[in-house]
Every structure is written in structure tokens, then in C-alpha cells.
Amino acid sequence: MDDSEFDRALVAAAFRLAGEQGWSRMTIAEAARRADLPLDRARARFPARPMLLLRFGSIADQAALSLATSEGSHRDRLFDILMRRIDVLQAHRDGVLALLRGLRTDPCSTGLVTLANLRSMMWMLDGAGIRSTGVFGLLRAKGLMAVWLSVVHAWRNDTSQDLSATMAALDKALSRAEQVEGWLRGRRRAPPADPPLAEPPGEPPPPPE
């Protein structure tokens, strides 16, 4: 079992355990036992739960970007990318819901997840072909973070098999973002055009004879 397979097995076991017992009671050692994984290797790769959160985020990012394409509009690409990221949450639904509940009383983990998600949103923008560097790239990432949080909120309450409510929420959130001129296209708003020059005055009428 290589490191990637080991990490995925441990993360899956940890989120199953969290779904059963709550995030605060989940331990990496117990998750390793559940998955029949060696404790010494679990300790080496995940010395603390924050490392587990970061690895879960990177697994979600990899799944989201695995089928990234240059076809279609930026909005369509983002829709597909973010829904693939939601699919990873859905695969570990009970554990992720337990994590979200646990974050309410865990400000350190909340801060870590926030920063990790912001970095992930920059990757999602890049995956859709939208510039994520510089000041405006950071602003776009923060805007996409707002989209993501609204979609996760919808997903938490979506009990449908096809996640139709989640997809509708994502479509609506991206439509709102698209209304901000240039946001999804990765361009700044064009400066206003200079006002037209006034017409030169005509020749004065001849004086009366």
C-alpha cells in the first residue's frame, strides 16, 4: 500500500468514526485500528488531526481537478469542478456533517479549514482557467469561497439522491457571481470611456448690414 492509498484508507475510516461518535471524540489511532492500518505509520503521516483535515482537503481538490477541461465557459467549468468536490463530501457525508458541527466549538480547526479552503478555491479557479494570482486573483478566490460556503450550506440540508437542491444552489450562486462584470472571465472591469469632445462652435453670424 503506497502513501496515497494509506492516506485515503485512513481518512475514510476517520470520517466513518466521526460520523458515529462525533468529530471531537474521533482519534487517528482508533481510525487506524478500524481500517486495520499500522499505528506507527498512522502516527508518522498524521501526527495530529489538523493533518487529517489538510489531507482530506487535498483529496477533495484532486477529485475536483481530475477531469478539468478547457471546454465550455468558465462558469460551466467551475460548476463541474465544484460539484466534483461536493461529491467527495457526499461520499463521507456523516463524518463531514460531524466535522461541521464540531467546528462550531473549535476555533483553531475552523481557522485552519478556512485558510485551506481559500487555497483550494485558488486551485479551483486555476482549474477553470481563471487567473488566481495577484490582488485580483485573491479577490476572486474570496468570492468563490463565498460561493462554496453557500453551496455547502445547501448540501447539508439536501437529502435527495441526485443532490438536485445542491446543484440548483450552485447554479444560482455562480449566476450571481457572473453578474459581477469580468469576475468569471478573470478580467478587470473596463474603465469608463472618455466623454466625447464638445463640438467646436460654429462661425458667428455676419453682422447686420
Side-chain angles (χ1 to χ4, degrees):
M1 181 181 292
D2 62 21
D3 286 345
S4 178
E5 293 170 335
F6 182 93
D7 292 355
R8 289 174 183 274
L10 185 55
V11 165
F15 276 90
R16 282 196 301 270
L17 190 61
E20 297 170 8
Q21 301 181 359
W23 180 255
S24 62
R25 298 184 62 186
M26 184 277 298
T27 66
I28 293 174
E30 181 60 24
R33 292 190 187 97
R34 287 285 189 96
D36 197 24
L37 298 171
L39 289 179
D40 57 339
R41 192 173 179 185
R43 169 63 178 83
R45 294 199 59 76
F46 298 98
R49 282 190 300 181
M51 282 69 219
L52 187 79
L53 289 176
L54 293 175
R55 188 68 182 98
F56 179 65
S58 67
I59 289 172
D61 290 349
Q62 290 166 19
L65 297 169
S66 63
L67 299 175
T69 177
S70 58
E71 298 178 358
S73 67
H74 288 127
R75 180 182 179 281
D76 290 343
R77 296 178 210 167
L78 276 178
F79 183 93
D80 291 340
I81 286 172
L82 292 179
M83 277 308 303
R84 284 195 293 271
R85 203 166 193 264
I86 285 289
D87 287 341
V88 176
L89 271 60
Q90 182 70 5
H92 306 280
R93 184 176 181 87
D94 290 344
V96 174
L97 292 177
L99 168 63
L100 294 176
R101 290 190 295 268
L103 290 179
R104 298 171 185 171
T105 57
D106 188 350
C108 292
S109 293
T110 300
L112 175 68
V113 169
T114 299
L115 290 174
N117 270 330
L118 183 60
R119 181 180 61 183
S120 292
M121 293 304 105
M122 298 177 80
W123 271 105
M124 302 303 102
L125 288 170
D126 286 336
I130 302 171
R131 184 181 294 276
S132 67
T133 56
V135 174
F136 289 97
L138 179 60
L139 291 176
R140 291 184 199 106
K142 290 182 176 181
L144 191 59
M145 171 81 90
V147 170
W148 173 251
L149 292 177
S150 70
V151 173
V152 170
H153 178 74
W155 169 78
R156 292 176 67 172
N157 301 308
D158 188 356
T159 58
S160 64
Q161 291 294 322
D162 60 357
L163 298 180
S164 55
T166 303
M167 288 190 288
L170 176 55
D171 186 67
K172 183 177 180 180
L174 288 175
S175 293
R176 288 197 301 266
E178 198 172 26
Q179 292 172 7
V180 180
E181 184 180 349
W183 191 86
L184 289 181
R185 296 185 297 277
R187 294 199 298 266
R188 295 176 57 181
R189 185 187 298 271
D194 293 333
L197 296 176
E199 291 291 334
E203 293 292 330
E209 297 182 356

